[in-house]
């Protein structure tokens, strides 16, 4: 599903116009300008939890010592930040087709 299809489904499901649905999607997810609500929270190192769906956030990978495979020289790899998404219990259950009681 792409953004256009998501907007169409949101508009149909909520009985709002596609223009209004696009505004809502952009307000939540606009990463191009960094103005989306979720994007701002993630950039600010805040976790965003949507119960049953999942959690978005930022983790830091520790710096470490590595080896360049072509030269076999040792090098320091700097710490890095990365965005993560952890699937919520309800979504995981539905996506994997597990019994609701598990």
């Amino acid at each position: 599903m792409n953004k256009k299809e998501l907007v169409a489904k949101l508009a149909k499901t909520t009985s709002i116009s596609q223009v209004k649905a696009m505004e809502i999607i952009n307000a939540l997810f606009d990463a191009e300008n960094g103005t989306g609500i979720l994007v701002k929270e993630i950039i600010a190192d805040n976790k965003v939890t949507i119960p049953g769906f999942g959690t978005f956030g930022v983790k830091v990978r520790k710096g470490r010592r590595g080896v360049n495979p072509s030269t076999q020289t040792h090098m320091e790899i700097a710490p890095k930040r990365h965005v993560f998404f952890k699937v919520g219990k309800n979504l995981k259950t539905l996506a994997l087709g597990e019994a609701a009681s598990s």
Side-chain angles (χ1 to χ4, degrees), residues 3-4 22 28 33 36 42 44-45 60 62 68 70 73-75 77 80 86 99:
K3 186 177 179 180
K4 187 175 181 180
M22 179 66 83
L28 288 171
N33 301 317
I42 291 169
D45 280 342
V60 177
K62 292 180 183 179
N68 182 333
S70 54
T73 58
H74 291 276
M75 54 193 267
I77 300 171
K80 289 185 179 178
K86 182 178 179 187

Side-chain angles (χ1 to χ4, degrees), residues 1-14:
M1 172 181 290
N2 62 30
K3 186 177 179 180
K4 187 175 181 180
E5 294 166 337
L6 180 61
V7 167
K9 284 193 178 206
L10 177 62
K12 184 177 180 181
T13 302
T14 60

Side-chain angles (χ1 to χ4, degrees), residues 16-93:
I16 60 174
S17 71
Q18 287 197 16
V19 171
K20 194 53 117 174
M22 179 66 83
E23 288 176 11
I24 293 167
I25 297 295
N26 285 338
L28 288 171
F29 300 107
D30 187 12
E32 187 173 321
N33 301 317
T35 58
I37 295 167
L38 294 175
V39 174
K40 284 181 183 178
E41 291 300 315
I42 291 169
I43 289 170
D45 280 342
N46 296 325
K47 285 185 181 177
V48 178
T49 302
I50 302 167
F53 185 78
T55 301
F56 297 90
V58 174
K59 288 186 179 180
V60 177
R61 290 187 184 129
K62 292 180 183 179
R64 58 190 169 87
R65 190 173 166 111
V67 177
N68 182 333
S70 54
T71 64
Q72 299 301 313
T73 58
H74 291 276
M75 54 193 267
E76 292 299 317
I77 300 171
K80 289 185 179 178
R81 293 166 37 103
H82 67 97
V83 177
F84 74 88
F85 174 73
K86 182 178 179 187
V87 179
K89 185 177 180 181
N90 293 348
L91 178 58
K92 186 175 182 179
T93 299

